[in-house]
C-alpha cells in the first residue's frame, strides 16, 4: 500500500449553500495551499452546482465528487439525466445519488420497511446506475452508515447478491463503492482483518472483546463481502473520513488528535490499492451545524476591509503582508548530525498531512509564507532565522520537541490557524 498526495482532499460544507463567487474566492486559495486533489460537494437534485465553480476546481487540479443527498426514490429520472449531463459536460467523473440507504431517515416515511427494502432499492437505483454508465461515469453505490438502522454489512451483502443476479454485467464490471471511513474514537486498526479475523462479530451485538466494521478499517469488511459475492474487490471513493462527526470526542483537542492519528497512519501505511481517494470531513460547516466542532477550518465572517489610501484606516501589518504572500503555511526543516531524518518525518507527517503544509529546507521559500513552523533546535536554526522571518512579516512557531504527542496537538493547532479566513480553528 502507498499514499499519493493526489489521493487526498476534503469534504466541503455538508450543505448546498456555499457555491457563490465569494465562497470560491475564499476557499479555493485554501484548498490550493492545502494541496487538496479531491473535494466532495453536496448538491440538490433540482439545482446544479454552478459550472464556473466546478471549472475553477478542475483548473486547480481538484477532482470533484458530486453527492446528491435527496430522500431515496424522490428523484425523477429527468432530474437525474439533467444533472449527469450538466456535470459530465463540466468534466466531472463522479456523481453519487442518495445517501445512507440503510438509515430510516434517508427514506420517505411511508416507504421504510425491511421487507423487500433491498429489492425496492435496486429497482430505483438501477436506472441511475445505467445513466451514469451511459454518461461515461462509473456506476457508483452511495455510502452506507456504518452500523445503521439496517446493519450495513448485511445490507451490502444482500444488495450485491441481488445485483449480481439481476443487473447487467456492463454495470457490475464497473461498479464502484463509496464509503464513510471514520475512526469513531477507536484505534485506526480497529476491525483490521474483517469478519475472518473477528468471527464473533454480529449485527447490533458484538460480544465483549470483539471488533467490527465500525471503524477505520471498514473497507476490509466491505471488500470481504465483495469477494464473497462477486469474486473480486471493488474500487472505492471515500466521501468523508477521519476522526469523524462523533460523540466519541469530548473536546475539539481530542478530535484533532484523532485526525492526527489518521494522518500518521496514512503517511506510514498508505491506502489499499482499491481506494481511489481519502477526503477528510468536513472542510467547514455553518456555525449551527452539528458537525461544526469537527470542521478543519472556521468559516470566515464577512468584514469590511479598510481602504489603504484612507489615512484614517488601520491595516494590520501582518494582514497586509499576508495579501502579498503565496504560501499559507510552510514547515521549515533542518537536519543535524543529532537528528535522524526518517524519525523526524515520521513524527511530523501527521500534522503536515492533515493541514497540507508546504514543506522544505529553504529560508527564502519560508519568507514567502504567512506562517512558518520551524522544526529544530537553536543549534539547527539560530534565533536570527526567526528574526529574519518576522522582519519579513511572517508569523513563526518553533518546535524543538517534535517527537512527542504534545507536539502533534500543538503543531496541529498552530497549523490550522488560517490567516486566509482571518480566524483560528478553536
Amino acid at each position: 500500500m502507498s499514499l499519493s498526495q493526489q489521493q487526498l482532499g476534503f469534504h466541503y460544507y455538508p450543505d448546498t449553500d456555499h457555491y457563490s463567487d465569494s465562497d470560491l474566492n475564499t476557499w479555493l486559495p485554501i484548498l490550493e495551499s492545502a494541496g487538496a486533489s479531491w473535494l466532495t460537494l453536496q448538491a440538490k437534485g433540482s439545482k446544479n452546482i454552478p459550472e464556473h465553480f466546478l471549472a475553477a476546481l478542475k483548473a486547480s487540479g481538484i477532482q470533484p465528487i458530486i453527492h446528491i443527498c435527496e430522500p431515496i426514490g424522490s428523484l425523477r429520472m429527468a432530474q437525474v439525466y439533467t444533472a449527469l449531463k450538466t456535470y459530465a459536460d463540466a468534466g466531472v467523473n463522479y456523481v453519487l445519488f442518495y445517501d445512507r440507504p440503510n438509515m430510516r431517515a434517508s427514506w420517505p416515511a411511508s416507504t421504510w420497511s425491511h421487507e423487500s427494502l433491498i429489492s425496492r432499492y435496486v429497482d430505483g437505483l438501477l436506472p441511475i446506475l445505467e445513466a451514469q454508465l451511459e454518461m461515461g461515469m462509473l456506476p457508483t453505490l452511495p455510502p452506507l452508515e456504518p452500523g445503521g438502522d439496517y446493519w450495513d454489512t448485511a445490507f451490502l451483502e444482500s444488495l450485491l447478491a441481488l445485483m449480481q443476479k439481476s443487473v447487467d454485467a456492463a454495470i457490475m464490471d464497473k461498479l464502484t463503492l463509496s464509503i464513510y471511513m471514520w475512526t469513531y474514537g477507536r484505534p485506526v486498526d480497529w476491525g483490521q482483518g474483517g469478519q475472518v479475523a473477528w468471527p464473533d462479530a454480529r449485527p447490533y451485538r458484538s460480544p465483549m472483546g470483539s471488533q467490527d466494521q465500525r471503524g477505520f478499517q471498514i473497507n476490509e469488511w466491505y471488500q470481504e463481502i465483495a469477494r464473497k459475492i462477486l469474486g473480486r474487490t471493488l474500487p472505492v471513493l471515500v466521501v468523508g473520513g477521519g476522526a469523524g462527526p462523533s460523540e466519541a470526542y469530548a473536546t475539539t483537542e481530542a478530535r484533532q488528535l484523532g485526525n492526527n492519528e489518521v494522518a500518521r497512519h496514512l503517511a506510514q501505511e498508505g491506502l489499499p490499492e482499491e481506494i481511489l481517494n481519502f477526503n477528510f470531513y468536513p472542510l467547514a460547516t455553518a456555525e449551527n451545524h452539528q458537525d461544526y466542532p469537527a470542521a478543519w477550518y472556521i468559516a470566515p465572517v464577512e468584514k469590511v476591509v479598510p481602504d489603504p489610501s484612507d489615512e484614517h484606516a488601520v491595516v494590520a501589518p501582518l494582514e497586509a503582508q499576508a495579501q502579498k504572500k503565496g504560501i499559507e503555511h510552510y514547515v521549515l526543516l533542518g537536519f543535524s548530525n543529532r537528528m535522524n531524518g526518517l524519525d523526524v518525518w515520521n513524527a511530523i507527517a501527521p500534522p503536515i498531512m492533515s493541514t497540507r503544509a508546504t514543506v522544505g529546507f529553504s529560508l527564502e521559500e519560508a519568507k514567502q509564507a504567512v506562517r512558518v513552523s520551524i522544526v529544530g533546535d537553536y543549534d539547527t536554526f539560530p534565533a536570527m532565522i526567526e528574526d529574519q522571518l518576522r522582519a519579513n512579516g511572517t508569523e513563526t512557531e518553533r518546535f524543538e520537541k517534535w517527537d512527542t504527542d504534545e507536539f502533534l496537538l500543538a503543531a496541529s493547532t498552530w497549523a490550522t490557524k488560517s490567516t486566509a479566513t482571518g480566524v483560528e480553528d478553536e
Side-chain angles (χ1 to χ4, degrees):
M1 293 187 294
S2 61
L3 181 71
S4 165
Q5 181 72 30
Q6 281 67 49
Q7 291 179 284
L8 298 174
F10 289 100
H11 186 295
Y12 192 52
Y13 281 82
D15 60 41
T16 60
D17 302 325
H18 294 87
Y19 298 118
S20 68
D21 289 340
S22 175
D23 292 313
L24 185 63
N25 292 336
T26 294
W27 293 111
L28 186 58
I30 294 174
L31 291 166
E32 292 174 334
S33 176
S37 297
W38 294 76
L39 193 66
T40 301
L41 304 166
Q42 285 191 195
K44 295 180 179 179
S46 58
K47 184 178 181 181
N48 295 326
I49 297 170
E51 185 176 351
H52 75 277
F53 194 100
L54 298 172
L57 293 178
K58 295 282 290 182
S60 295
I62 299 172
Q63 181 85 269
I65 299 174
I66 310 297
H67 193 185
I68 300 175
C69 301
E70 302 284 6
I72 293 171
S74 64
L75 293 173
R76 301 187 305 276
M77 282 308 298
Q79 293 175 299
V80 171
Y81 275 110
T82 298
L84 287 174
K85 180 65 166 61
T86 299
Y87 291 133
D89 289 345
V92 175
N93 296 319
Y94 305 99
V95 180
L96 283 60
F97 291 86
Y98 306 138
D99 184 49
R100 297 177 173 94
N102 63 324
M103 295 295 290
R104 181 187 300 269
S106 299
W107 293 72
S110 60
T111 62
W112 172 267
S113 170
H114 277 50
E115 183 178 355
S116 302
L117 183 71
I118 303 294
S119 179
R120 288 186 283 114
Y121 178 58
V122 170
D123 288 344
L125 188 64
L126 181 56
I128 294 176
L129 299 177
E130 291 173 339
Q132 289 172 327
L133 189 64
E134 182 181 332
M135 294 292 177
M137 299 177 179
L138 290 176
T140 304
L141 300 177
L144 301 171
E145 173 71 13
D149 296 326
Y150 191 131
W151 199 250
D152 60 320
T153 51
F155 188 101
L156 180 62
E157 183 166 349
S158 296
L159 174 63
L160 292 182
L162 181 57
M163 291 181 68
Q164 179 75 340
K165 294 178 181 178
S166 60
V167 174
D168 189 88
I171 291 176
M172 298 305 296
D173 288 345
K174 294 184 178 297
L175 190 66
T176 300
L177 294 178
S178 62
I179 65 173
Y180 291 115
M181 199 167 169
W182 316 119
T183 67
Y184 292 112
R186 300 183 172 105
V188 290
D189 62 354
W190 177 274
Q192 189 169 336
Q195 185 81 58
V196 171
W198 304 100
D200 294 331
R202 295 290 183 272
Y204 310 107
R205 58 179 192 282
S206 292
M208 185 72 68
S210 185
Q211 298 180 14
D212 58 22
Q213 82 285 3
R214 293 173 297 175
F216 197 70
Q217 300 298 326
I218 187 171
N219 176 64
E220 290 197 20
W221 295 72
Y222 284 12
Q223 297 297 352
E224 188 176 288
I225 294 169
R227 287 192 296 269
K228 174 183 175 181
I229 303 299
L230 308 178
R232 68 183 190 281
T233 58
L234 293 173
V236 171
L237 293 172
V238 179
V239 175
S246 169
E247 293 76 18
Y249 300 95
T251 65
T252 299
E253 289 76 14
R255 188 179 288 105
Q256 282 182 337
L257 286 174
N259 275 322
N260 282 336
E261 184 61 25
V262 169
R264 182 195 296 272
H265 177 82
L266 292 175
Q268 296 178 345
E269 303 296 333
L271 287 166
E273 183 178 354
E274 65 270 9
I275 295 184
L276 304 175
N277 73 297
F278 187 90
N279 285 3
F280 282 99
Y281 174 92
L283 180 71
T285 78
E287 190 170 356
N288 60 351
H289 193 276
Q290 62 182 5
D291 294 331
Y292 179 76
W296 286 74
Y297 291 88
I298 304 300
V301 177
E302 290 291 332
K303 58 183 179 181
V304 177
V305 179
D307 182 356
S309 64
D310 183 352
E311 62 180 4
H312 299 294
V314 178
V315 180
L318 185 60
E319 286 188 8
Q321 291 284 349
Q323 293 172 7
K324 301 177 183 178
K325 294 180 179 293
I327 301 174
E328 170 67 24
H329 177 215
Y330 191 88
V331 178
L332 182 59
L333 300 178
F335 298 140
S336 69
N337 292 334
R338 294 177 287 103
M339 298 172 68
N340 182 298
L342 182 59
D343 289 344
V344 174
W345 174 249
N346 285 338
I348 69 173
I352 287 175
M353 289 184 60
S354 63
T355 57
R356 310 300 196 280
T358 301
V359 184
F361 304 86
S362 169
L363 177 60
E364 292 307 310
E365 281 186 355
K367 288 179 180 179
Q368 302 305 310
V370 178
R371 294 184 333 284
V372 172
S373 298
I374 300 174
V375 180
D377 57 24
Y378 284 91
D379 290 334
T380 306
F381 288 116
M384 70 177 195
I385 297 293
E386 290 173 279
D387 295 338
Q388 290 182 40
L389 289 168
R390 289 169 182 165
N392 195 57
T394 296
E395 284 188 281
T396 66
E397 182 80 0
R398 182 185 290 269
F399 298 98
E400 294 184 78
K401 298 180 179 180
W402 42 264
D403 55 350
T404 65
D405 288 339
E406 288 77 10
F407 161 76
L408 289 176
L409 181 56
S412 181
T413 301
W414 162 254
T416 52
K417 188 175 81 168
S418 172
T419 54
T421 59
V423 290
E424 184 171 345
D425 185 5
E426 297 285 345

